[in-house]
Amino acid sequence: MIVRLRFKASQVRVATSPPVARKAQVVEMRAPAHATRPANPNHVSTQEMAGGLAALLAPAATLTFAIALWRLGRDLGLTKNFFITDGPFSHWQVWLAMTATLAASSMYLNRKSERAARAPVAD
């Protein structure tokens, strides 16, 4: 089932489309009172930029955590090879620190974008 959300200034109602290969529902929801349309529709707000960057940082944090576990497994003798044999990135602690930094940055940006979405816009 595919659900599409459309924000309109009308009341909430559920409309179903004619049956197709996949059933799709359109749920119209009332837009928040403080939401305004930007003067330039191609403009990306800082709120949208923060949310987009946070969406990219979360998978990056997961990837670095997997690499940290891989390197830790190599140090414990559970895995055979690690793709970096020397240098600072050959230590699992570095990868774990990168994971913590990316995850904390993602959480901060998510909160910043959500807080900006909830803040009333001054007229």
Side-chain angles (χ1 to χ4, degrees):
M1 173 167 47
I2 300 172
V3 177
R4 295 185 183 118
L5 299 177
R6 292 185 186 164
F7 291 99
K8 292 188 174 183
S10 62
Q11 294 181 355
V12 176
R13 67 181 176 91
V14 177
T16 56
S17 62
V20 289
R22 294 183 199 166
K23 292 186 178 179
Q25 281 189 325
V26 178
V27 180
E28 293 182 1
M29 301 173 66
R30 184 176 296 229
H34 59 80
T36 59
R37 294 181 188 238
N40 182 0
N42 296 326
H43 174 74
V44 178
S45 68
T46 55
Q47 168 192 350
E48 293 169 335
M49 187 65 75
L53 187 58
L56 294 174
L57 288 178
T62 304
L63 178 66
T64 57
F65 184 67
I67 293 173
L69 289 179
W70 182 10
R71 182 59 204 183
L72 180 61
R74 174 69 186 121
D75 288 348
L76 296 175
L78 300 174
T79 60
K80 294 192 182 212
N81 294 329
F82 187 68
F83 65 99
I84 301 175
T85 56
D86 55 352
F89 292 110
S90 66
H91 303 288
W92 65 269
Q93 294 93 342
V94 174
W95 290 102
L96 197 62
M98 286 175 33
T99 298
T101 303
L102 290 171
S105 300
S106 177
M107 287 178 13
Y108 171 75
L109 289 172
N110 267 330
R111 288 183 182 172
K112 183 177 179 181
S113 67
E114 289 172 1
R115 187 173 30 238
R118 284 182 277 154
V121 175
D123 291 330

